[in-house]
Amino acid sequence: MGVRILDCATEMGACLSLLSALFSGDVLLNQKAIEVKERQANQIQAEAASASVTFATHGKDTVVKGATVSGQGVAVSKMVIEQDAAYWEVIVLQPGHIAVGVAKPAAAEQLPPTLGEGTTSFGSTWGVLELAKDDVIGVCFQHSDLPMITFFLNGQPCEGREVIRVKGPVCPAVGVGESEVELRLSDFRFKPPSERFLPLMAAKDMLRAS
């Protein structure tokens, strides 16, 4: 009887050791998968950061210097939003009338006075007293769900400013009225609300990431 109990205890110990080894292996595999995913996300972020912000067109009274926009009117980025979900930010450098959203690629003379007017641009507008210097407007854009555009102010949701639907190929865009902003496509000050929303990628980077 004593020998049988000893054998059972030995077998039980061996089973526990095997289960422990299998569990440790699963944990290790999961950890490695997470690390690979993080490296891929960091690579995408780094590639996005290396791409300088450029504007395809802007209004005649709009001043564009690198990633900053000032004066009066609308400026439209060259980056067409092709991925399913994207995130970017607009930094307030000088408060004033500020519009944030997207616009269809268009010639300067076809740009609307501000975003959200007509059928070629979509966005939301903030008044002079609604923003302060260094405020950050975050933009989440998605093709596959509604609303297609949601906004955040300093990391907090801006309820009531959603854009339900957007038609046609569009690019990030800003509108200024005696104000100054910076369009930021990477190196964000706030985290996107979900890991679905990645920095904007060019088509070649999207193929590489997939």
Side-chain angles (χ1 to χ4, degrees), residues 59-80:
K60 63 178 183 178
D61 297 320
T62 310
V63 180
V64 171
K65 293 182 179 179
T68 65
V69 180
S70 60
Q72 186 86 28
V74 170
V76 183
S77 167
K78 282 186 176 181
M79 184 75 78
V80 177

Side-chain angles (χ1 to χ4, degrees), residues 75-207:
V76 183
S77 167
K78 282 186 176 181
M79 184 75 78
V80 177
I81 306 171
E82 300 184 61
Q83 67 208 69
D84 179 61
Y87 176 82
W88 65 92
E89 292 179 342
V90 174
I91 315 298
V92 179
L93 303 180
Q94 177 182 320
H97 291 283
I98 294 172
V100 177
V102 297
K104 296 180 180 180
E109 60 272 11
Q110 296 175 320
L111 290 175
T114 189
L115 298 179
E117 294 186 0
T119 59
T120 60
S121 69
F122 312 86
S124 187
T125 302
W126 283 260
V128 177
L129 302 179
E130 294 182 277
L131 298 171
K133 184 178 180 181
D134 292 327
D135 276 349
V136 179
I137 301 171
V139 186
C140 284
F141 182 98
Q142 54 187 346
H143 283 286
S144 59
D145 203 357
L146 301 178
M148 293 183 68
I149 306 178
T150 52
F151 298 95
F152 297 79
L153 180 59
N154 298 326
Q156 300 302 313
C158 295
E159 296 183 2
R161 291 182 176 271
E162 301 87 354
V163 177
I164 302 302
R165 193 178 299 276
V166 172
K167 296 181 179 180
V170 291
C171 310
V174 295
V176 290
E178 303 305 322
S179 55
E180 184 176 7
V181 299
E182 175 193 347
L183 176 61
R184 186 168 291 194
L185 303 182
S186 61
D187 191 22
F188 302 129
R189 295 190 183 179
F190 294 90
K191 287 185 177 181
S194 165
E195 62 181 10
R196 288 183 58 235
F197 295 95
L198 296 173
L200 279 169
M201 293 180 286
K204 61 178 182 179
D205 295 326
M206 290 174 59
L207 291 173

